[in-house]
Amino acid sequence: AYYDGNGVDTDYRVAFEHFQKAYQGGLPDAAVYLGMMYQSGVGVEQNVREAQRCFDFAASKDYFFAYFKLARIEFNERRFMK
């Protein structure tokens, strides 16, 4: 709700805290949202390695969208390495 302002005012800091707790509880969808926040730097300092760690966790739980996010990180790293 705090991430997208659904029913409440958008507050990325609060959303980050909620996603972090849910991720620590083992929820792969929370890990993906947390990873997206780390990847984009919304509500937290940008950290692609931390985003990748979150996406890796979600992928290990067969959360399909996490595979896509990992592929995008790989693509971006290879593109900028040239």
Side-chain angles (χ1 to χ4, degrees), residues 35 38-39 47-58 69-70 73-74 77:
Y38 275 120
Q39 188 175 29
N47 185 332
V48 175
R49 290 293 147 239
E50 194 63 28
Q52 189 172 20
R53 188 175 69 80
C54 293
F55 297 143
D56 279 337
F57 170 79
K69 297 302 285 180
L70 287 168
I73 288 173
E74 181 70 20
E77 286 182 354

Side-chain angles (χ1 to χ4, degrees), residues 7-79:
V8 295
D9 290 337
T10 300
D11 188 332
Y12 294 119
R13 185 181 47 78
V14 173
F16 179 81
E17 292 171 5
H18 285 282
F19 288 139
Q20 197 168 39
K21 287 178 186 176
Y23 169 57
Q24 291 168 349
L27 298 176
D29 51 341
V32 169
Y33 275 102
L34 196 58
M36 290 189 305
M37 293 180 83
Y38 275 120
Q39 188 175 29
S40 64
V42 172
V44 66
E45 186 175 333
Q46 187 177 27
N47 185 332
V48 175
R49 290 293 147 239
E50 194 63 28
Q52 189 172 20
R53 188 175 69 80
C54 293
F55 297 143
D56 279 337
F57 170 79
S60 76
K61 304 293 184 186
D62 290 330
Y63 196 91
F64 179 77
F65 190 61
Y67 293 108
F68 170 76
K69 297 302 285 180
L70 287 168
R72 290 296 301 172
I73 288 173
E74 181 70 20
F75 173 79
N76 287 337
E77 286 182 354
R78 288 178 187 250
R79 184 177 65 178

